Amino acid sequence: MANREYDYLFKLVIIGNSGVGKSALLLRFADDTFSENYITTIGVDFRFKTLKVDNKGLKLQIWDTAGQERFRTITNAYYKGADAIVIVYDTTCQQSFDDIEKFWLNEIESYAEKNAELLLLGNKSDLSTKQVQSERVQEYAQKRNMMFFETSAKTADGVEEAFKKIAIKLMAKRNQQVQDKRNKRKQQKQSSSSSLRTDDSQQYGDGKQDDEKSNVNLWANNSTEQAKQGQQCQC
């Protein structure tokens, strides 16, 4: 990372029902802090977090969106350009999980990038009043091709691991995209070189045929001249 703070920059957007702990998760991950006082997010908020993985710097720009319906027309614009969408539900609230299928996935399909990665977080795992069973969510996440973790913003359990895993996945995906582009350019270059060789071969072959035709005409002309001389009077 010489002369640079990071090697990769990724945008993440956190969504989910109001009160599931989106802001608490962001503060725990970005600033390692937690507050018992619940404050509703007005519109959007964001934080930066830099990680180091395999000697590479990963900088995450994480947007925290308001879950209340009156703010959704504002927050929809922040899906654009997101590399990953973090969907949060409350493990003690069944409705917050059910609304993922009923509402939030439709939002993602409507506004997010088609190839955005999905991370599903079941927050408040430290509470004993769990309503959403982990096994059910795990099956759902696999069906929907999501990474899944249970987390607690209060105790920090699972928070850093979840964000780090999605960051590593994004880094691998970016590397693969770069490699695919290199391979494509290489194939195009090889195809272009092959085409040039074919054209040269055709041009050389045409020249050879022209020479053979010229030789045939030359011999034909010589035979004609000899025949004429044979017909001349020898008196």
Side-chain angles (χ1 to χ4, degrees):
M1 290 193 302
N3 300 324
R4 288 198 304 175
E5 181 185 356
Y6 57 89
D7 299 281
Y8 301 84
L9 175 63
F10 299 115
K11 178 182 177 180
L12 282 67
V13 177
I14 306 178
I15 62 174
N17 284 9
S18 180
V20 298
K22 300 186 297 297
S23 299
L25 282 170
L26 176 59
L27 291 176
R28 170 60 75 185
F29 177 60
D31 302 335
D32 196 22
T33 60
F34 177 79
S35 175
E36 294 283 359
N37 298 322
Y38 172 70
I39 302 175
T40 301
T41 301
I42 306 299
V44 293
D45 189 13
F46 75 94
R47 291 286 192 282
F48 285 104
K49 177 72 173 182
T50 301
L51 304 174
K52 194 171 184 180
V53 178
D54 296 332
N55 293 321
K56 298 292 184 180
L58 284 71
K59 189 169 187 177
L60 306 181
Q61 182 189 60
I62 310 173
W63 292 86
D64 172 28
T65 63
Q68 293 180 320
E69 186 173 357
R70 69 177 184 270
F71 295 121
R72 287 175 185 168
T73 55
I74 300 173
T75 60
N76 286 343
Y78 291 90
Y79 285 93
K80 185 175 179 61
D83 298 289
I85 308 297
V86 183
I87 312 169
V88 184
Y89 71 93
D90 181 348
T91 58
T92 68
C93 177
Q94 183 65 46
Q95 183 179 348
S96 69
F97 175 73
D98 293 341
D99 283 347
I100 294 173
E101 185 70 25
K102 292 179 181 178
F103 176 77
W104 292 109
L105 286 184
N106 291 330
E107 289 281 287
I108 293 172
E109 291 175 2
S110 298
Y111 302 107
E113 304 296 333
K114 300 302 180 184
N115 61 343
E117 297 293 332
L118 302 180
L119 172 62
L120 180 61
L121 301 183
N123 196 34
K124 305 183 184 180
S125 62
D126 57 293
L127 300 180
S128 59
T129 55
K130 176 183 286 189
Q131 293 185 11
V132 187
Q133 297 304 313
S134 305
E135 295 78 8
R136 178 192 171 191
V137 182
Q138 185 66 56
E139 292 177 359
Y140 177 79
Q142 290 178 351
K143 179 181 177 182
R144 287 292 190 176
N145 195 28
M146 304 175 181
M147 297 181 70
F148 167 61
F149 295 88
E150 286 192 342
T151 60
S152 170
K154 184 176 183 179
T155 66
D157 185 40
V159 177
E160 184 166 351
E161 180 187 8
F163 280 98
K164 188 173 182 178
K165 285 292 180 62
I166 193 66
I168 292 173
K169 186 174 183 179
L170 291 174
M171 183 178 70
K173 183 177 181 179
R174 180 71 57 80
N175 289 340
Q176 186 61 53
Q177 290 173 342
V178 172
Q179 186 61 46
D180 289 343
K181 289 181 179 179
R182 288 176 179 172
N183 292 338
K184 186 176 181 180
R185 287 197 297 267
K186 185 177 180 180
Q187 290 174 356
Q188 290 175 342
K189 186 176 181 179
Q190 290 175 344
S191 177
S192 177
S193 298
S194 177
S195 178
L196 288 174
R197 286 195 298 269
T198 301
D199 292 342
D200 290 342
S201 176
Q202 290 176 347
Q203 291 175 4
Y204 176 77
D206 292 343
K208 186 176 181 181
Q209 291 175 359
D210 290 342
D211 290 342
E212 290 176 349
K213 290 179 180 179
S214 298
N215 292 335
V216 170
N217 292 334
L218 178 61
W219 285 107
N221 292 335
N222 289 339
S223 299
T224 302
E225 290 297 326
Q226 290 174 359
K228 288 181 179 180
Q229 291 176 4
Q231 293 175 355
Q232 292 178 357
C233 179
Q234 301 298 324
C235 299

